[in-house]
Amino acid sequence: MARTQGSHSDITGPRLRDAARSLFARFGYAAVSMRQIAADVGVQAGALYNYTPDKQSLLFDLMKAHMDELLIAYDDAMQSGAPLDQLEQFVSFHIRYHAARPEAVFIAYMELRNLNDENFAEIEALRRSYEARLEDILKAGVADGAFDVSDTRVAAMALIAMLTGVNTWFREGGRLSMDDVEALYWDMVRKSVLC
Amino acid sequence: MARTQGSHSDITGPRLRDAARSLFARFGYAAVSMRQIAADVGVQAGALYNYTPDKQSLLFDLMKAHMDELLIAYDDAMQSGAPLDQLEQFVSFHIRYHAARPEAVFIAYMELRNLNDENFAEIEALRRSYEARLEDILKAGVADGAFDVSDTRVAAMALIAMLTGVNTWFREGGRLSMDDVEALYWDMVRKSVLC
DNA sequence: GATTGATTTGAACGCATGTTCAGATAAAGC
DNA sequence: GCTTTATCTGAACATGCGTTCAAATCAATC
C-alpha cells in the first residue's frame, strides 16, 4: 500500500502503453525488459503489474487496440461510391492512417511471432478482416467490369504490401509530401487494376 | 582439447548457420539463446565459439551472406533487353529467389534493428544497391518512353514491397503455383508502369 | 602405438530476466 | 485530523543469459 508523488492510475496506465509501444517498436518485444519500460514510465518494475497482468498482455493489448482502431477508423472514413472511388479512398486512408502511427504499425507486423497461440489467432483474424475489406472493393470492381483483376485475393495482398511499404522509407519533411506520396501510389494502384 | 563422436569443423560450422537461420527466423534473434542454437546443432554452447566470435556476428554473417548471394544471383540471372523485358526478368527473379529462401529473407527484413551500427550500415548499403538495380530499369524505361513513372525511386520501393510481400502468404502446394503467382504479379507490375 | 592438434565438454562468471509481495507512502473521504 | 484505499517501492525468487576456459576426448600423423 505505497505511493509516490503525483502518480495516479489514469496517468501511469497510458504512460505504460506509450512507453511499451515506443520501446517495442525500437528494440523489439523480446529485447525490451519490464525494467526498461518502468524506467521510461518513471516507476519501479513492480508497479507495472498494477496495469498489466504480464508482458505478453502488454504486447497483445497494444496490437489489439491498434487493429480495433484501424477497423473502426476505416469503417468510419469510407463513403459509398463506385469501386474505383472506393479504391482511391482505401489507398488514401491506408497510407495516411499507417504513416501517422508508425510504431503501432511496426509492432503489428514484426511482433506477431511473440504472441501466444490464442492471441495470435485473434490478431490474425482482425488483419484478415481488414484485408477482406480491400478484396471486397476489388470484387465489386470486377463484378461491374471496372477492374481487370484475375485474382482478387492476391491483388489485395499485393496492394496492401505495397501501400504498407510506405512506412519503411517515408519521413515527414523529406523530399516528398504526404500528398505527393498518396498521388504516386494511387497512380500505380489505379493503373494496376484497370484494363 | 576435447572432442566427441563424429564432429568436425566442416560439419558443425554449416550446421551452426543452418540452426541459427532457422531459429532466428522462427523466434527472432533476441528470443533465441546460444544454448538453444547449440542444442539444435547437437553440441554444448561453448563449442559454438569455435565458429563465431559472438552472437552478433552470427546474425550479421547470415544477413551479409544473404545479401551478397542475392546480388550475385541477380547479376548472374539478368540478361540484356528492353526495359520492359528487364522489368519482367526482375519480377520473376525477385519472386522466385525470395520464395525459395523464406528464412533468410525474413531475417534480412526483421532483424535489422538487432545489428550494431557498423553492421547495419553495411547491410543497408547492400539493400540499397539491390533497390538501385530496379530503379535503373525504371529509369531506362522512362528515358526511352516505354514507362510512365513519375518518381522512379518511389516506384522501385513500391514494387519491391509488393513483390517481397509474396513471402507473407505464399505456400508451396497451396491454391496457386509459383507460375500462377509470377504471372499475377507481373500483370500488376507491368500495368502499373505503363501509360 | 605414441604424439600432436583440433574439437568439445562442463562448469563457472557476473549480470539480467519476469514476476511476486510485504511494507511504505500519499491522496481521498469522512 | 483520522482512516481508508489505491499506488508504488525495494528486495527477493528462481531461472536464464552470453561468454570464457581449463580439462577431456577423439582423429589423424608419424
Side-chain angles (χ1 to χ4, degrees):
Chain A
M1 316 151 190
R3 197 183 231 180
T4 45
Q5 267 191 346
S7 286
H8 281 67
S9 181
D10 49 349
I11 290 183
T12 308
R15 270 204 183 180
L16 167 56
R17 277 183 283 278
D18 290 346
R21 188 185 304 108
S22 169
L23 290 169
F24 288 169
R26 203 166 350 162
F27 305 110
Y29 172 79
V32 172
S33 72
M34 294 299 275
R35 284 172 180 79
Q36 281 177 64
I37 299 172
D40 205 282
V41 173
V43 297
Q44 295 297 315
L48 301 184
Y49 289 84
N50 289 320
Y51 305 95
T52 184
D54 48 36
K55 196 186 175 191
Q56 165 76 202
S57 301
L58 199 47
L59 175 62
F60 173 70
D61 290 346
L62 285 175
M63 297 180 71
K64 175 82 159 68
H66 171 67
M67 294 307 298
D68 284 344
E69 289 160 15
L70 170 68
L71 289 169
I72 288 172
Y74 176 81
D75 292 341
D76 192 58
M78 288 299 281
Q79 297 172 344
S80 61
L84 192 62
D85 292 332
Q86 295 232 309
L87 186 58
E88 186 172 8
Q89 288 181 57
F90 183 93
V91 169
S92 174
F93 171 82
H94 187 97
I95 290 180
R96 291 179 181 278
Y97 191 88
H98 285 70
R101 35 188 76 67
E103 291 178 340
V105 171
F106 200 67
I107 292 170
Y109 275 79
M110 303 279 276
E111 303 296 354
L112 283 168
R113 62 182 162 197
N114 286 308
L115 293 174
N116 65 32
D117 292 348
E118 187 187 359
N119 289 344
F120 176 81
E122 193 166 339
I123 298 298
E124 201 59 12
L126 292 170
R127 181 189 310 281
R128 273 196 295 271
S129 169
Y130 182 68
E131 292 163 359
R133 282 163 168 74
L134 173 56
E135 192 182 349
D136 286 345
I137 295 173
L138 296 177
K139 280 178 183 165
V142 170
D144 77 358
F147 294 161
D148 176 31
V149 173
S150 51
D151 192 305
T152 54
R153 171 72 183 152
V154 170
M157 296 302 286
L159 293 181
I160 286 181
M162 180 170 130
L163 296 176
T164 306
V166 170
N167 271 35
T168 64
W169 61 268
F170 179 75
R171 296 295 174 266
E172 200 85 45
R175 181 169 63 88
L176 300 170
S177 71
M178 191 76 262
D179 284 348
D180 294 334
V181 174
E182 187 186 325
L184 287 167
Y185 275 78
W186 168 235
D187 192 53
M188 294 185 74
V189 170
R190 182 179 46 76
K191 290 194 287 185
S192 75
V193 300
L194 294 182
C195 307
Chain B
M1 315 149 186
R3 198 184 228 181
T4 45
Q5 267 193 346
S7 287
H8 280 70
S9 181
D10 50 348
I11 291 183
T12 306
R15 269 202 184 184
L16 167 55
R17 279 183 282 277
D18 289 346
R21 188 185 304 111
S22 168
L23 289 169
F24 287 169
R26 204 169 345 163
F27 304 111
Y29 172 79
V32 172
S33 72
M34 294 298 275
R35 284 171 179 83
Q36 280 177 63
I37 298 171
D40 205 281
V41 173
V43 297
Q44 295 297 315
L48 302 184
Y49 289 83
N50 290 319
Y51 305 95
T52 185
D54 48 36
K55 196 187 174 190
Q56 165 76 200
S57 301
L58 199 47
L59 175 62
F60 173 70
D61 290 346
L62 286 174
M63 296 178 73
K64 175 82 160 67
H66 171 67
M67 293 308 298
D68 285 343
E69 289 160 14
L70 169 68
L71 289 170
I72 289 172
Y74 175 81
D75 292 341
D76 193 59
M78 289 298 283
Q79 297 172 342
S80 62
L84 192 63
D85 291 332
Q86 296 232 309
L87 186 59
E88 186 172 7
Q89 287 180 58
F90 183 94
V91 169
S92 174
F93 171 83
H94 186 97
I95 290 180
R96 290 180 183 279
Y97 192 87
H98 286 70
R101 36 188 74 69
E103 290 178 340
V105 171
F106 200 68
I107 291 170
Y109 276 79
M110 303 280 276
E111 304 295 354
L112 283 169
R113 63 181 163 198
N114 286 309
L115 293 174
N116 64 33
D117 292 349
E118 188 187 359
N119 289 343
F120 176 81
E122 191 165 341
I123 299 298
E124 202 58 10
L126 293 169
R127 182 190 308 282
R128 274 196 294 270
S129 170
Y130 182 69
E131 292 162 358
R133 281 162 168 75
L134 172 57
E135 194 183 348
D136 286 345
I137 295 174
L138 297 177
K139 281 178 182 165
V142 169
D144 78 357
F147 296 162
D148 177 29
V149 172
S150 50
D151 192 307
T152 54
R153 171 71 182 153
V154 170
M157 296 303 285
L159 294 181
I160 286 181
M162 181 171 130
L163 296 176
T164 307
V166 170
N167 271 34
T168 64
W169 60 267
F170 179 74
R171 296 295 174 265
E172 201 85 47
R175 180 168 63 89
L176 300 171
S177 72
M178 190 77 261
D179 284 349
D180 295 335
V181 173
E182 186 186 327
L184 288 167
Y185 275 78
W186 168 235
D187 193 52
M188 294 184 75
V189 170
R190 182 179 46 76
K191 291 194 286 183
S192 75
V193 299
L194 293 183
C195 308

